[in-house]
Amino acid sequence: MFESTLALSDASRIIAGIGLLTIVTIEFGGMFLLKIAAGKVPLTEFQKSFSRAGHAHAGVLVILSLVALILADATGLDGFWGWTARVAIPAAAVLMSGGFFAAMAGAGRTAPNKAVAVIVVGAASLALGVVTLGIGLLVA
């Protein structure tokens, strides 16, 4: 019935499908934020800010990762660099958002715990992914 003008590689198609399914978990996170805003979940101001940051990073980075998959297919990158361009950005979405939530865990916490290091690992993954993809697009 519909003719596709965009053909994704199998790798990008599968990663995109998984990425789209994760949006349901981001929706549940939004419902949790509504409970926080309504005062139904007792959190410190620090925990509220890290909850918002974790939720925002998840949403933005999942959308970026979906766009990046299309761009990765346009680069012609394959092998290690092709996988890096396709996987590092969605991995950053998981690591950074998960890091924010893990770093705020614990009743009454007013400062991040050691899990804050996961955010840094996620930021490195994001940098690796976008640099790989950017260079791949420039040399394609």
Side-chain angles (χ1 to χ4, degrees):
M1 179 175 194
F2 295 103
E3 189 173 321
S4 175
T5 58
L6 175 68
L8 291 175
S9 65
D10 285 343
S12 291
R13 181 181 51 77
I14 292 167
I15 296 166
I18 293 167
L20 285 168
L21 293 174
T22 68
I23 291 174
V24 176
T25 65
I26 298 168
E27 288 179 303
F28 280 109
M31 290 172 48
F32 180 68
L33 287 177
L34 286 174
K35 289 180 182 179
I36 293 170
K40 295 179 181 176
V41 179
L43 294 177
T44 66
E45 288 304 312
F46 161 73
Q47 289 172 314
K48 289 177 186 178
S49 67
F50 261 47
S51 292
R52 286 189 299 270
H55 184 68
H57 279 80
V60 169
L61 292 176
V62 166
I63 298 302
L64 175 61
S65 68
L66 291 169
V67 172
L69 291 169
I70 296 167
L71 295 174
D73 282 355
T75 66
L77 289 171
D78 59 2
F80 175 79
W81 294 113
W83 280 103
T84 300
R86 287 175 179 84
V87 175
I89 298 170
V94 172
L95 292 166
M96 292 180 80
S97 62
F100 278 108
F101 289 112
M104 61 158 258
R109 185 166 292 283
T110 59
N113 61 31
K114 291 180 181 183
V116 75
V118 177
I119 301 168
V120 176
V121 173
S125 181
L126 178 61
L128 178 63
V130 297
V131 168
T132 301
L133 183 54
I135 292 171
L137 286 165
L138 290 173
V139 301

